[in-house]
Amino acid sequence: MYSKENGFVIPDHPKIPYIEGDGTGPDIWKATRMVLNRAVFHAYGSRRKIVWVEALAGEKAFRKTGTWLPAETLEIIKNHRIAIKGPLTTPVGKGIRSINVALRQELDLYGCVRPIVYIRGLPSPIRHPEKVDMVVFRENTEDVYTGLEWEADSPMAKKIIELVQHETGKPIRQGSGIGLKPMSRFGTRRLVRMAISFAIENRRKSVTLVHKGNIMKYTEGAFRNWGYEVALEEFGENIITEEDLLNRYNGKAPAGKIVLKDRIADAMFQQILLRPDECDILAMPNLNGDYMSDALAAMVGGLGMAPGANIGDGYAVFEATHGTAPKYADQDKVNPGSLILSGVMMLEFLGWKEAAVHIRKGLQKTVRQKRVTYDLARQMNGATELKCSAFASAIIDNFR
Ligand code: NAP
């Protein structure tokens, strides 16, 4: 189905694996599947159709197989290259490691891509949400997410404390838990390469490397340096640095050039709020990206409306940005918008743009009609609150 030289070759009836997810996952997946199927039919009639293939993960997988992430699930995704998934539970501070992180690492889905675009009519805490149009590229396989951490007083934590004391003379308090934050030149370069390639293909204005390199010089600081390195080595014709912009071009980027900037993460958090129109494509390490993409989601309607995709060189898994929201499980209540929009990203990835447009238009119209789920209704005057499934039906009705 996929060849690197030719891009994806998509059959008219592609088999696409789905993971339903835990908590509210089944509700939002049911709604999403309905919207995707109807959009494809609306766009192409019976000529095209997605053949859904269930892949088990999370609580459902554990109930049926005794494993949280069966090897067969990874095989199914590897065979079909593309998958879509609902959220999966990860216990905090105990038990199994994150299945989401395991999936990203096993399939080497190194870029987490999160577009943040405002849909007119959505509630927002900022004054000019219409200025928000960014895409976050978050590194997915390195940084503190590698899972290299050891409990306080464990033999490994004690060993590392001793080693650091012995080798550097710098004390670490006894009884500390220890975590490692590895970040590599290889991992950074491929993520920044993905972000810049996207910026070029989509004629965007700028790429900003967001890091905390003033404090963590050899990880976050290196992310910044390696980012500039790959940009100038591989995209020199398309890129100008911010320094060039000011010194050589009088602050005005020549047509077709993308401005490469870098910002310290904390300053960037205020900039996305105060001057969102100056932010465009953002590339960042894993933890910064985790925080920042949720903050950005809040600016355009909340987690229920923020889509995402995890993309590598071989595979792509599309998924909602939010978690399982377990307190709303099986109530047909939560907003399926995030997973539906992730499905739209998937359709665009397949090249099925007409179907994607139907959903975007249907969603925009439904929001304008103020027929929305509870999370949006509670922030909008005069809104009609819809169940998860009814919101999906309203989007479909608005294809026309
Ligand atoms: P969460 O599930 O994202 O939910 C936090 C809050 O966000 C919810 O209580 C709800 O707010 C709002 N929310 C989330 N999804 C929504 C939706 N579709 N529509 C409307 N509002 C929505 O975060 P969490 O409670 O911290 O995490 C629960 C579990 O999910 C954890 O096990 C976590 O590890 C996991 N998780 C999985 C993923 C993933 O699979 N990729 C990502 C993040 C978290 P209100 O209560 O205000 O209504």
Side-chain angles (χ1 to χ4, degrees), residues 201-213:
E201 278 161 30
N202 293 280
R203 300 167 190 268
R204 305 292 295 226
K205 294 185 306 251
S206 68
V207 174
T208 306
L209 307 171
V210 184
H211 60 91
K212 190 73 188 152

Side-chain angles (χ1 to χ4, degrees), residues 56-312:
L56 294 176
E59 287 160 5
K60 191 169 180 183
F62 191 72
R63 274 198 313 274
K64 291 197 165 180
T65 69
T67 334
W68 295 95
L69 180 59
E72 197 193 350
T73 292
L74 289 170
E75 275 316 297
I76 293 175
I77 299 176
K78 283 181 179 167
N79 286 340
H80 296 92
R81 303 282 180 183
I82 291 173
I84 184 164
K85 70 173 272 294
L88 295 167
T89 308
T90 311
V92 177
K94 60 181 165 60
I96 52 159
R97 296 210 73 86
S98 167
I99 307 165
N100 300 304
V101 173
L103 261 175
R104 292 168 198 164
Q105 289 176 349
E106 289 285 335
L107 299 170
D108 201 20
L109 305 170
Y110 61 84
C112 177
V113 184
R114 290 185 173 168
I116 320 283
V117 188
Y118 182 66
I119 296 176
R120 199 151 52 89
L122 282 177
S124 170
I126 63 169
R127 247 183 294 162
H128 290 291
E130 72 284 356
K131 293 183 176 175
V132 179
D133 181 3
M134 302 177 212
V135 186
V136 171
F137 285 78
R138 165 190 174 201
E139 205 291 324
N140 241 351
T141 61
E142 302 197 326
D143 195 359
V144 289
Y145 277 68
T146 41
L148 295 170
E149 52 165 14
W150 297 276
E151 208 172 354
D153 297 321
S154 64
M156 193 64 187
K158 284 184 178 164
K159 228 184 226 179
I160 294 174
I161 291 172
E162 263 168 43
L163 178 78
V164 171
Q165 169 80 47
H166 183 261
E167 295 294 325
T168 69
K170 291 186 181 164
I172 298 177
R173 186 170 291 133
Q174 286 300 328
S176 298
I178 298 287
L180 294 185
K181 179 182 170 70
M183 284 167 56
S184 71
R185 185 166 183 265
F186 171 80
T188 300
R189 282 173 66 104
R190 65 179 181 171
L191 185 271
V192 175
R193 186 180 294 121
M194 185 187 271
I196 296 178
S197 304
F198 176 92
I200 293 169
E201 278 161 30
N202 293 280
R203 300 167 190 268
R204 305 292 295 226
K205 294 185 306 251
S206 68
V207 174
T208 306
L209 307 171
V210 184
H211 60 91
K212 190 73 188 152
N214 52 334
I215 304 298
M216 292 166 275
K217 298 182 193 308
Y218 306 122
T219 48
E220 302 259 336
F223 179 90
R224 172 198 175 277
N225 296 343
W226 290 323
Y228 274 102
E229 183 187 272
V230 71
L232 298 175
E233 262 176 43
E234 296 183 14
F235 301 97
E237 300 227 321
N238 306 88
I239 288 282
I240 57 168
T241 62
E242 199 172 25
E243 208 181 335
D244 284 343
L245 178 72
L246 298 175
N247 296 339
R248 292 177 52 196
Y249 299 104
N250 227 355
K252 196 168 168 5
K257 298 276 185 191
I258 292 160
V259 181
L260 182 66
K261 318 186 234 187
D262 78 281
R263 293 286 183 275
I264 304 282
D266 38 334
M268 194 65 188
F269 265 99
Q270 66 132 15
Q271 191 174 326
I272 56 171
L273 288 167
L274 297 178
R275 302 195 306 281
D277 44 336
E278 289 177 24
C279 308
D280 191 4
I281 307 300
L282 311 179
M284 60 193 89
N286 207 331
L287 187 61
N288 298 342
D290 193 18
Y291 297 154
M292 193 160 289
S293 40
D294 276 22
L296 282 165
M299 291 160 65
V300 295
L303 285 177
M305 294 299 284
N310 298 297
I311 298 180

